[in-house]
C-alpha cells in the first residue's frame, strides 16, 4: 500500500483521538479530501484507501478529474465560485461549500431549478476577519443564512470557514467557536443546520474538538502541493 494509504490511516487515528477527547462519535465527522493540484493517479489511491468525499477549488479542474474518476465519489466545491461557472458547478458537485452572497445563492437556485435538482450548500463565513478573504462577515451571517434557506432549489445544511492560518493551531479555536456559535444560533432561530466545515491539515484536530462535522484535508493526505 502507498503513502496516501498510510497517511489516511494516520489521519483516521488522529480524527478518532480528537473525537474521543471531545466525547464525540467518529461517525459525526467526515473527511473531505482536498485534491487541488493533485493528479488523478493519487486521488485514485485515496479512493482505493476509502476516501468517499472529494473537495475541489475549481470547477474546471473538478470537471476534468470527474471524467477520469468515474467512480462512486461525492464532490464538494470548497473554492470561490464565479457566477459564470454556476451551471457547470450544479452539474458536477453534490455540495457547494463556498456560498457567501445572496447573489450567488440566487444564481445557484435558478440553475438548480433548471436542472430539476436541489443543491446542497454551506454558507462560508470569514471567521478570522482577515480582509481580502472570501466568506460573509460573521455579523451578517445570520440574516444571509435565513435568506438563503428560503431559496426553493437550495438546501442549506451548514456553515463553512477557512480559519486564520496560524503557526499554533490552538490559537485558531476562536474561529471554530465563532462558526459553531453562529450555527447554534441559527438552529435556535429555526434554521436546521447540521454541518460545520472547518479544520484543515494544520488544525483539524482542534476543529473536531470544537465540533467540526467536515474536515477538509489536502497536504496531510497527499503531501505538500507542488
Ligand atoms: C486547500 C484547501 C484546503 C486544504 O488545505 P490543506 O492545508 O492542504 O489541508 C481546505 N479548504 C480549502 C478551502 C482549501 O482551499
Amino acid at each position: 500500500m502507498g503513502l496516501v494509504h498510510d497517511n489516511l490511516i494516520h489521519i483516521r487515528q488522529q480524527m478518532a483521538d480528537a473525537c474521543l477527547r471531545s466525547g464525540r462519535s467518529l461517525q459525526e465527522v467526515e473527511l473531505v479530501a482536498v485534491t487541488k493540484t493533485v493528479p488523478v493517479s493519487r486521488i485514485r489511491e485515496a479512493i482505493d484507501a476509502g476516501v468517499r468525499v472529494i473537495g475541489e477549488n475549481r470547477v474546471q479542474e473538478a470537471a476534468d478529474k470527474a471524467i477520469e474518476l468515474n467512480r462512486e465519489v461525492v464532490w464538494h466545491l470548497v473554492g470561490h465560485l464565479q457566477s459564470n461557472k454556476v451551471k457547470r458547478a450544479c452539474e458536477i458537485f453534490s455540495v457547494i461549500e463556498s456560498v457567501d452572497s445572496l447573489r450567488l445563492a440566487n444564481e445557484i437556485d435558478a440553475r438548480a431549478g433548471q436542472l430539476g435538482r436541489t443543491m446542497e450548500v454551506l454558507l462560508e463565513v470569514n471567521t478570522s476577519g482577515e480582509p481580502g478573504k472570501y466568506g460573509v462577515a460573521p455579523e451578517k451571517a445570520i440574516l444571509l443564512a435565513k435568506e438563503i434557506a428560503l431559496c426553493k432549489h437550495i438546501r442549506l445544511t451548514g456553515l463553512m470557514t477557512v480559519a486564520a492560518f496560524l503557526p499554533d493551531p490552538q490559537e485558531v479555536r476562536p474561529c471554530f467557536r465563532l462558526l459553531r456559535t453562529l450555527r447554534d444560533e441559527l438552529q435556535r432561530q429555526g434554521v436546521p443546520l447540521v454541518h460545520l466545515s472547518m479544520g484543515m491539515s494544520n488544525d483539524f484536530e482542534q476543529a473536531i474538538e470544537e465540533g467540526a462535522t467536515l474536515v477538509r484535508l489536502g497536504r496531510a493526505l497527499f503531501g505538500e502541493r507542488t
Side-chain angles (χ1 to χ4, degrees):
M1 281 292 169
L3 186 63
V4 174
H5 177 267
D6 293 347
N7 288 344
L8 184 63
I9 293 199
H10 184 58
I11 289 165
R12 291 248 191 256
Q13 189 59 54
Q14 289 174 295
M15 288 173 67
D17 290 346
C19 283
L20 211 60
R21 283 195 298 274
S22 48
R24 303 185 62 203
S25 152
L26 188 56
Q27 278 99 298
E28 293 171 35
V29 190
E30 180 97 62
L31 167 68
V32 179
V34 177
T35 54
K36 58 175 175 250
T37 77
V38 176
V40 163
S41 58
R42 312 206 67 212
I43 302 175
R44 269 208 191 94
E45 278 182 56
I47 296 170
D48 286 343
V51 162
R52 285 294 164 263
V53 185
I54 306 283
E56 271 288 347
N57 290 64
R58 289 163 185 272
V59 176
Q60 190 56 50
E61 192 173 339
D64 294 342
K65 288 171 175 172
I67 290 167
E68 290 190 65
L69 291 165
N70 55 347
R71 323 243 231 147
E72 280 301 301
V73 284
V74 169
W75 295 82
H76 285 209
L77 180 63
V78 300
H80 180 67
L81 178 57
Q82 293 170 319
S83 47
N84 63 336
K85 305 270 171 63
V86 168
K87 178 169 178 282
R88 194 83 184 95
C90 288
E91 291 166 352
I92 297 166
F93 293 98
S94 297
V95 183
I96 298 175
E97 295 199 11
S98 48
V99 176
D100 64 357
S101 72
L102 188 58
R103 198 171 138 262
L104 180 57
N106 284 335
E107 188 82 26
I108 293 168
D109 190 34
R111 291 298 188 179
Q114 286 166 4
L115 294 168
R117 67 170 297 189
T118 300
M119 192 75 217
E120 181 176 346
V121 312
L122 306 183
L123 173 62
E124 180 173 356
V125 182
N126 181 0
T127 54
S128 69
E130 291 163 292
K133 262 174 105 165
Y134 293 114
V136 64
E139 58 273 20
K140 293 182 178 159
I142 301 272
L143 182 60
L144 181 55
K146 287 177 168 176
E147 288 172 328
I148 294 172
L150 294 176
C151 292
K152 196 158 174 265
H153 306 283
I154 285 180
R155 198 158 60 89
L156 178 69
T157 61
L159 305 178
M160 179 273 230
T161 197
V162 177
F165 188 84
L166 298 168
D168 178 2
Q170 300 300 341
E171 289 178 21
V172 188
R173 285 183 192 268
C175 292
F176 300 147
R177 284 181 190 151
L178 175 55
L179 200 71
R180 183 185 184 141
T181 302
L182 288 169
R183 184 202 57 184
D184 294 350
E185 179 56 29
L186 279 158
Q187 282 179 345
R188 251 192 303 280
Q189 297 191 26
V191 185
L193 303 185
V194 287
H195 286 302
L196 291 173
S197 177
M198 57 190 196
M200 300 169 30
S201 292
N202 53 313
D203 54 20
F204 69 97
E205 293 161 283
Q206 287 76 22
I208 290 171
E209 289 174 17
E210 299 294 344
T213 65
L214 298 162
V215 288
R216 309 182 307 270
L217 304 186
R219 290 168 302 133
L221 189 56
F222 299 106
E224 291 298 323
R225 283 180 287 276
T226 44

